[in-house]
Amino acid sequence: FLTRAQAARLARIPAGLVAFRPDLLRVEGRWLQEAYFGFQFDRSGVRPELGAVVQELKREYSDIEIADWLVRPNQVLGYSSPLKYLRTSGVERILAAAESNGPTRDRAAEVRGESDRDLPIHRPTSPTSATRPSRKRRVTHRPAFGSR
């Protein structure tokens, strides 16, 4: 992941404008600055072929759904990831693969009317502390080592 400043430097634009780029995928948090996926950039800046795919898919999917789909093996592409396949093939082939076997949505979140941005960030409790009843410790008083 890249920070806003790092993404702006690689895209060669001011940091304030990075969030408005429709061809970039990002992860946003409630209390943290957004982060950008590093695979969107190369030495020359933003990968234009990937940007075209992202812009097309953003009409229907969230940034997280698109990023997840881009890095997973895809049956339509011979079990290669769309990101890897994009290096050797054109944008049209990737978009055709997205149409037939594209990103998956979190259907439960859709039913609840939530997006991935609305979900709370919390630390899960350990299963042992949730299932095991607390036991009171028996305190015994012993003399300190070396005392009589």
Side-chain angles (χ1 to χ4, degrees):
F1 286 101
L2 302 172
T3 64
R4 181 187 302 160
Q6 291 169 327
R9 190 171 35 256
L10 287 172
R12 296 180 179 96
I13 59 173
L17 298 179
V18 177
F20 298 105
R21 291 276 307 247
D23 59 341
L24 291 179
L25 298 172
R26 64 184 183 182
V27 178
E28 294 184 36
R30 271 184 206 190
W31 301 284
L32 299 175
Q33 191 179 71
E34 73 269 10
Y36 295 85
F37 293 95
F39 60 73
Q40 302 175 101
F41 303 92
D42 61 13
R43 290 185 190 136
S44 62
V46 177
R47 293 177 56 189
E49 72 284 356
L50 182 59
V53 171
V54 167
Q55 279 186 304
E56 189 66 32
L57 293 177
K58 271 191 173 186
R59 296 176 185 179
E60 195 172 337
Y61 301 101
S62 74
D63 289 13
I64 297 293
E65 292 165 341
I66 297 169
D68 180 60
W69 180 76
L70 285 169
V71 298
R72 289 186 184 272
N74 191 301
Q75 182 180 6
V76 175
L77 302 173
Y79 295 99
S80 178
S81 72
L83 192 60
K84 191 179 283 186
Y85 199 87
L86 190 58
R87 293 180 185 173
T88 60
S89 180
V91 172
E92 294 80 21
R93 178 76 173 119
I94 301 299
L95 292 176
E99 200 169 302
S100 64
N101 190 12
T104 56
R105 295 184 176 272
D106 180 6
R107 301 291 180 203
E110 279 184 19
V111 170
R112 292 188 306 264
E114 298 175 339
S115 71
D116 53 353
R117 297 177 193 180
D118 297 332
L119 297 176
I121 299 172
H122 66 279
R123 190 178 306 250
T125 59
S126 68
T128 55
S129 65
T131 58
R132 188 183 320 155
S134 63
R135 296 181 186 157
K136 292 185 179 180
R137 292 186 181 185
R138 181 182 277 171
V139 178
T140 58
H141 297 283
R142 292 187 231 165
F145 182 73
S147 65
R148 295 183 189 195

